[in-house]
Amino acid sequence: MTSDHSARATGRGRVVMLVDNGVHGDSRVQKTARSAAEAGWDVVLLGVLGGQSETDQWQIGEAQVKLLPVGRGLGRHPTVFQRSLRRPLAYPPGFHAAYRIQKVRAWQAAMHERRTAWEVAQATGGGRLPAMFGGTLQLPARLTAKALARWVRFRAGELHRLQRNQQDPNTLLTRLSVAFWRKLLGSRSWRRLDRGLWDYELAFRNVIDELKPDLIHAHDFRMIGVGARAVLRARAQGRPTRLVWDAHEFVAGVSGREDNVRWLPAQVAHVEEYIRHADAVVTVSDTLAELLQQTHRLPARPYVVLNAPVVGPPPADEADLATPDLRGLCGIGPETPLLVYSGAVNASRGVDIMVESLPDLPGVHVALVTLTSGSANEASDQLRARAVELGVGDRVHVLPYVRYWQVPAFLSAADAGVIPIHHKPNHELALITKYLEYSHARLPIVVSDVRTMADTTRSTGQGEVFRAQDRADYVRAVRAVLADPDRYRAAYDRPDLLVNWTWEAQARVLDDVYRTLTGRTRPTRTDSTWADAGAEGRPRVAETV
């Protein structure tokens, strides 16, 4: 991949997209890259090379994809390597404690070997002198080894207790440490709290610079800093590169890491520092757009680009791929009630309620369309094992993802789509991907009472809302939609309901943003205004579509 490419002749320019995953399974990123390339932009999508990636380069339509190896050397907090005065007798972090424990155990094993050999010699009549005095001679060494073993275990225990306290958000020193850096450095505090964000910079920077982009589209919170610094380098060289930040979720509402209490404050600070460098911000819902503008004091409201499904014909390079048969994969006929869940499986998604409730829903089957590898597979296996315990193992089917453009047609064979997610900050903010996919599949929707999706469902009448984590209320909602599915499907007959819930409509919004930022043209929509972003004169979108 070089900075020269025939697509530059279209006059649109080069777009370099950045994402912190392996691209596979990220439908929003895939659709964004493909649609931008179809609109005439020269698109290069840079992602992260991981264990599931079979190759580091391929194409999505006319968009090039390249995955880069990202080192993880800076991702660990310095406490992993540094000693602390909290517990001065603790071993240094690293392998020292394990080495010392094994060394003492090896010494004890060697003495046991020698003592056993003496006992065997005595039993067989040989070596009477060592057998008589060997145990006595070995006694000081045995006592020393025993005392040393206790000392080693104590120091290793001190290290374990130290590291546990360092990651305990309730300890005073941990809270003071995080608060100190946040107070001292403000939005720059991520540089002390999570140096691992530099790992992405080191992996991506040279490749971005070689591509000489006209526009950088940074996906989600880890990539905003990488994109902002690349723009600064480009402008230092006289190139007017622009930056679009795509906020997939509200970073302050992301679940933190249990093993590193500094991680979430670092991500929040990282976004706060670099969001001011974005020439335009796009996000996934009106609610989140409003929240981002208020939180980060943006001069203009971010554009809304829903992660809606593709409803047009399949991509030309995949047109021959037939959409799988959902019911056929489950081994059931059209008369069998079938509930479908599409997406990641983890504790906060609440999918367990679908399995736990099957004994109360005789004859109903559940299809889980999810990742079937890694930790996602472990979660699915746990659900299958639970289904067997409940005696409903034959009614739970775990199926792999299909192509993103096949999803609505694939899911349409079900009787209802389920979204049982728990109350979490980001769960309240958007019509998530599966909600829109269920809608285009014309499925009645059973959704927990998370804010945006519950309000929409009650407004449109396309499904039933139940109290999150309330199994009895979930069963009530499922029975309601299965008893009269046509009542809920009728909501999709409204001509205005689905017209904007398509990726084709969302892609036009993005294309307008790209064109305006690069000076190709301005949006012609009358419902959009533009606000100057200050001294640098960067345009910002000032109204949500």
Side-chain angles (χ1 to χ4, degrees), residues 208-220:
I208 299 172
D209 293 348
E210 290 174 3
L211 290 169
K212 294 181 171 59
D214 298 289
L215 185 144
I216 294 175
H217 185 142
H219 288 274
D220 228 346

Side-chain angles (χ1 to χ4, degrees), residues 65-87:
V65 179
K66 181 174 178 60
L67 302 186
L68 307 175
V70 177
R72 305 297 182 183
L74 297 175
R76 297 181 179 181
H77 194 268
T79 55
V80 176
F81 309 103
Q82 298 173 352
R83 303 191 70 163
S84 172
L85 293 178
R86 296 195 204 184
R87 292 183 181 270

Side-chain angles (χ1 to χ4, degrees), residues 11 103 137 181 239 249 272 335 367 371 402 411 458 465 475 485 495:
K103 186 176 180 179
L137 294 173
W181 291 118
R239 290 185 287 110
E249 55 192 338
E272 182 65 32
E335 72 288 347
L371 287 174
V402 297
L411 300 179
R458 293 186 182 107
V465 176
V475 170

Side-chain angles (χ1 to χ4, degrees), residues 16 82 126 219 281 284 319 323 331 341:
V16 172
Q82 298 173 352
H219 288 274
V281 178
V284 298
T323 300
Y341 171 86

